Amino acid sequence: MKGPILPSAAELHSLLKRLYPITRSLTGDGVRETLRVVQEVADLEIQEYPSGAQVYDWQIPREWNIRDAHISTLDGQRVVDFRRNGLHVVGYSVPVCEEMAFADLEPHLHTLPNLPDAIPYRTSYYRENWGFCLTQKQLEAMDRNARYHVVIDSTLEDGVLNFGEKLLRGTSGREFFLSTYCCHPWMANDNQSGVVLTAFLNRYLSQKEELHHSYRIVWVPETIGAISYLAHNELAMKNLEGGFVLSCCGGPGPLAYKETFLGDHLIDRAVKLAFRDAGIEPWLRPFAPDGSDERQYSMPAFRIPMCTIAKDKYYDYAYYHTSLDDPDFVTGENLLSTLKMYIDAIEILERNRVFKTTMPYCEPQLGKRGLYPQIGGAHNQFGNVKKCAMSIEAEVDALTWMMFLADGTMDMVDIAERSAQPYSNLCVAAVKLVENGLLEEIQEVNAR
Ligand code: ZN
């Protein structure tokens, strides 16, 4: 039987490169095109909410589309050209077509003097404005005494806010959440990396023969998309047990982990076990109500514990929100290593069960059931421990810990923490013990 297939690093990077140069914003053709490209990997549904709808304290903005934008000299030379890089225009800029003096144009220009080769990423979603972003070098090359022709060929009209959604059904009655944001244009780590990883996580989970838990997976425009989704799915969202915000997961920095607002929720513990068993010390980022959509999902009415596994998390890298965050900054290998960590954490949740021993009075005799090495005495003896993935010694350790701790009050995550045994070894042991009638699975307790 075929299990889920991990993508290659090249496959991850190639999707990232396709998505990168699409002109995206909160709304508009770019979001729809992005979601259609993601559909080639993930069978998400493209959904929409209408402009103008009230969602809690917010209103869904009008749909923004842009065809072209430039600052040109009066003899027609484009000194700033939106067609070369989508970051050149402030997101949601209103249309402009004017000739103006540099002095009048200057307040609308944004640069990063400390990163003179970078175009910054700027938006003005909720206040009508317009502007251009350019490198400091481009700005310095402009003639301050000249007049310029300034064009932004954009439209702001009633339309829709689009998002992608997929619901995968499991058997446990417990639902987890994966959310990423699909509004950022022309930047790779923030956040085409999250869009790509969510797509392949969707594919991975869909390919599993059986899902224990249910998963709600969304690609939403940041903030307003998350708020709109919460407002339209209030009851279902209140029942979510926890989840992940996939953001900034492909940079060259160390694997980082931003805790949920609780810090010790089952989600946190699953992630910490995944890191522990991989032998990687995560760069721990405590929860703060900033960053991405966890700050919406974890607000008092919902309190969904959301965490993030990242490589070069927002705020942690110098290229954040600039044109230098490009497909050279994000590699397929980095994407793959973060994807694997997400999968390991989710697999821990998937395999988390509560078992109870059928022999609580003394340890059962493993040897007569073929579960113990036939020659006694060598187990865990100094000099005799073979360090392979699942040596007989490791297996006996896992079996012994399972028999000792599985008293019906602890789940597999508890047992893995208490025993310091690799989670997957404990799962193998649990299966063997159940097969031999030494353990029984009991109804797990909903953590929320
Ligand atoms: Zn961002």
Side-chain angles (χ1 to χ4, degrees):
M1 251 172 282
K2 243 173 51 182
I5 303 161
L6 267 185
S8 66
E11 207 177 345
L12 289 164
H13 202 250
S14 113
L15 182 62
L16 177 110
K17 276 195 293 194
R18 277 186 67 198
L19 293 170
Y20 167 77
I22 298 174
T23 297
R24 270 172 298 265
S25 190
L26 297 182
T27 59
D29 294 333
V31 178
R32 284 186 285 275
E33 189 185 341
T34 298
L35 295 171
R36 277 196 296 271
V37 172
V38 172
Q39 269 179 331
E40 294 171 19
V41 170
D43 54 348
L44 60 91
E45 282 164 36
I46 300 177
Q47 311 273 28
E48 62 185 45
Y49 298 134
S51 306
Q54 194 71 28
V55 284
Y56 302 126
D57 201 35
W58 297 63
Q59 195 175 36
I60 296 182
R62 286 178 296 167
E63 191 176 310
W64 185 68
N65 283 293
I66 181 163
R67 286 152 294 280
D68 191 14
H70 55 93
I71 301 172
S72 299
T73 58
L74 294 190
D75 61 7
Q77 273 196 357
R78 290 185 175 216
V79 293
V80 179
D81 186 356
F82 170 78
R83 289 177 181 165
R84 296 176 70 93
N85 191 306
L87 294 181
H88 275 313
V89 169
V90 170
Y92 260 72
S93 281
V94 296
V96 181
C97 185
E98 273 181 56
E99 187 193 304
M100 62 180 75
F102 180 85
D104 296 325
L105 174 58
E106 195 175 17
H108 294 275
L109 302 181
H110 306 270
T111 65
L112 287 172
N114 293 335
L115 275 179
D117 291 312
I119 308 163
Y121 169 52
R122 297 288 180 266
T123 60
S124 185
Y125 297 136
Y126 302 105
R127 196 172 69 86
E128 282 204 3
N129 203 342
W130 62 270
F132 284 86
C133 305
L134 55 159
T135 69
Q136 182 68 19
K137 284 184 179 165
Q138 278 178 302
L139 178 69
E140 284 164 11
M142 288 175 78
D143 180 353
R144 304 182 77 89
N145 299 311
R147 292 181 67 79
Y148 287 93
H149 192 43
V150 179
V151 172
I152 298 178
D153 180 12
S154 65
T155 48
L156 270 165
E157 294 164 334
D158 280 344
V160 295
L161 174 145
N162 290 100
F163 63 99
E165 183 187 40
K166 180 68 189 177
L167 305 175
L168 296 170
R169 287 277 154 242
T171 54
S172 71
R174 298 162 69 178
E175 187 170 308
F176 290 87
F177 189 41
L178 303 176
S179 175
T180 195
Y181 48 99
C182 57
C183 52
H184 282 40
W186 284 78
M187 284 170 292
N189 197 38
D190 185 18
N191 185 40
Q192 292 327 294
S193 67
V195 172
V196 167
L197 252 61
T198 308
F200 281 97
L201 271 176
N202 182 324
R203 190 181 83 174
Y204 177 92
L205 291 169
S206 306
Q207 286 173 338
K208 276 175 78 81
E209 215 173 288
E210 191 181 289
L211 279 175
H212 188 51
H213 301 306
S214 296
Y215 295 88
R216 182 176 293 263
I217 306 175
V218 298
W219 293 255
V220 289
E222 202 171 24
T223 308
I224 187 66
I227 292 170
S228 303
Y229 192 79
L230 285 166
H232 286 83
N233 298 277
E234 197 176 282
L235 258 182
M237 295 300 282
K238 283 182 175 176
N239 285 323
L240 289 175
E241 197 160 319
F244 302 93
V245 170
L246 287 100
S247 161
C248 301
C249 26
L255 269 168
Y257 153 56
K258 180 180 176 182
E259 295 178 313
T260 73
F261 71 95
L262 293 171
D264 60 352
H265 183 261
L266 179 65
I267 289 275
D268 295 284
R269 295 164 65 206
V271 171
K272 285 172 188 169
L273 284 175
F275 272 99
R276 185 199 74 177
D277 287 357
I280 297 170
E281 188 67 43
W283 186 19
L284 195 67
R285 320 301 283 144
F287 180 84
D290 62 15
S292 190
D293 291 326
E294 58 273 28
R295 65 183 197 261
Q296 315 305 337
Y297 301 134
S298 302
M299 282 293 280
F302 297 98
R303 286 292 190 241
I304 310 164
M306 300 293 290
C307 79
T308 293
I309 301 169
K311 262 176 90 61
D312 282 304
K313 189 178 70 57
Y314 45 79
Y315 314 154
D316 285 347
Y317 64 110
Y319 296 171
Y320 169 68
H321 278 184
T322 75
S323 56
L324 301 181
D325 179 355
D326 64 16
D328 291 332
F329 180 69
V330 171
T331 65
E333 286 73 21
N334 290 340
L335 290 168
L336 187 57
S337 67
T338 314
L339 178 67
K340 283 180 178 166
M341 199 55 76
Y342 273 108
I343 288 175
D344 287 352
I346 290 171
E347 284 293 355
I348 287 171
L349 297 171
E350 276 288 297
R351 296 155 87 185
N352 194 24
R353 303 283 198 282
V354 180
F355 294 100
K356 189 174 180 180
T357 175
T358 59
M359 294 207 174
Y361 286 92
C362 66
E363 70 178 42
Q365 197 190 350
L366 297 178
K368 74 179 182 194
R369 296 175 173 87
L371 294 170
Y372 199 80
Q374 295 304 302
I375 307 292
H379 174 59
N380 272 353
Q381 188 184 22
F382 182 76
N384 197 41
V385 178
K386 294 187 209 103
K387 286 285 172 205
C388 61
M390 186 61 160
S391 62
I392 186 74
E393 288 81 6
E395 196 173 326
V396 170
D397 282 343
L399 289 165
T400 313
W401 276 108
M402 279 306 298
M403 289 306 302
F404 184 75
L405 290 175
D407 60 4
T409 68
M410 284 185 242
D411 62 18
M412 292 298 285
V413 168
D414 293 320
I415 291 174
E417 289 172 345
R418 289 279 291 274
S419 67
Q421 296 295 307
Y423 193 87
S424 56
N425 290 10
L426 292 169
C427 292
V428 171
V431 169
K432 289 199 171 182
L433 291 168
V434 169
E435 280 169 4
N436 282 275
L438 297 174
L439 278 188
E440 58 189 12
E441 188 181 333
I442 65 172
Q443 195 68 42
E444 62 189 308
V445 192
N446 192 325
R448 192 167 154 99

